[in-house]
Amino acid sequence: MKQVFKALALTAAFVSAPVFAADTAEVGKPAPAFTLKDEAGKAHSLSEYKGKVVVLEWTNPECPFVKRHYEAKTMQNTQKGFDAKKVVWLTVDSSSTHDAKSAAEWKKKEGLSQPVLIDTDGKVGKSYAAKTTPHMYVIDAQGVVRYAGAIDNDPRGKEATKVNYVQTAVDALLNGKQVPTATSEPYGCSVKYKS
């Protein structure tokens, strides 16, 4: 009986232990902490969104895959479907040649409401192992990465029946369920990191 109580005490201590950010993003592990400034110069820290589901979208406005998704309103419609009180969408641009001015121009042209975070040195992108634009991550309310990969199952834009992995992941988390597809192969242009 003593062993049962010891095991229960150990389990309780483990469950209530704080979640610490990892150095690299991995599904099932705490998301790497970051602070980046947006196109208007406002700083955004991942930690300030604790308690909400966070969607991170790696982007490059010059990438044909990104252009296709914005022209088709894939990102906008996915984002629109979420309750802003429960879900935060952050767009991250790790392109070495982009700056706040180019991000602000793109945001205005596309009529976006979410912040576009500037990661010119690529540190945050590399900590998330962001490979493509777009490359998507969904982080749960406790700060744990629950999805990493493509926005959907349609790299060529020709699928009759698309599966939006981000929508599915966020819906599952908001309903207290396990994310059905935790990873997928991201597709798009390579992230243009600083050499």
Side-chain angles (χ1 to χ4, degrees):
M1 192 64 136
K2 262 185 177 177
Q3 288 175 329
V4 170
F5 285 118
K6 262 187 185 176
L8 284 173
L10 252 158
T11 302
F14 176 75
V15 170
S16 63
V19 174
F20 296 102
D23 291 336
T24 57
E26 189 178 328
V27 171
K29 305 276 179 159
F34 67 82
T35 299
L36 289 172
K37 289 186 178 179
D38 68 16
E39 79 292 340
K42 180 183 178 210
H44 296 263
S45 295
L46 182 61
S47 61
E48 74 187 78
Y49 301 110
K50 191 128 185 166
K52 293 185 177 189
V53 172
V54 176
V55 176
L56 298 178
E57 169 205 353
W58 257 264
T59 196
N60 175 350
E62 297 163 4
C63 170
F65 290 89
V66 170
K67 287 180 179 181
R68 174 170 60 88
H69 279 295
Y70 275 89
E71 286 167 9
K73 306 279 186 219
T74 308
M75 303 304 182
Q76 301 94 314
N77 290 336
T78 303
Q79 184 180 358
K80 243 191 269 180
F82 300 140
D83 181 345
K85 292 177 185 164
K86 297 177 182 177
V87 181
V88 174
W89 188 293
L90 301 172
T91 300
V92 183
D93 189 340
S94 294
S95 304
S96 64
T97 58
H98 295 170
D99 57 17
K101 183 181 178 203
S102 62
E105 289 168 357
W106 179 67
K107 180 177 176 174
K108 183 179 179 183
K109 176 184 165 241
E110 295 295 339
L112 306 178
S113 59
Q114 78 269 20
V116 179
L117 307 183
I118 313 304
D119 180 38
T120 307
D121 64 9
K123 285 182 184 173
V124 175
K126 289 175 183 174
S127 75
Y128 277 80
K131 295 190 265 184
T132 62
T133 56
H135 196 153
M136 310 297 294
Y137 296 83
V138 177
I139 301 165
D140 71 16
Q142 290 73 44
V144 175
V145 179
R146 296 298 176 189
Y147 173 76
I151 180 72
D152 60 24
N153 67 334
D154 192 20
R156 304 269 180 255
K158 296 179 180 178
E159 289 292 326
T161 307
K162 294 175 181 68
V163 176
N164 186 317
Y165 296 127
V166 171
Q167 178 80 53
T168 304
V170 172
D171 288 347
L173 292 172
L174 292 177
N175 289 301
K177 296 180 179 173
Q178 191 170 351
V179 173
T181 303
T183 61
S184 68
E185 189 62 38
Y187 64 83
C189 306
S190 62
V191 177
K192 307 302 184 242
Y193 289 117
K194 191 175 191 173
S195 304

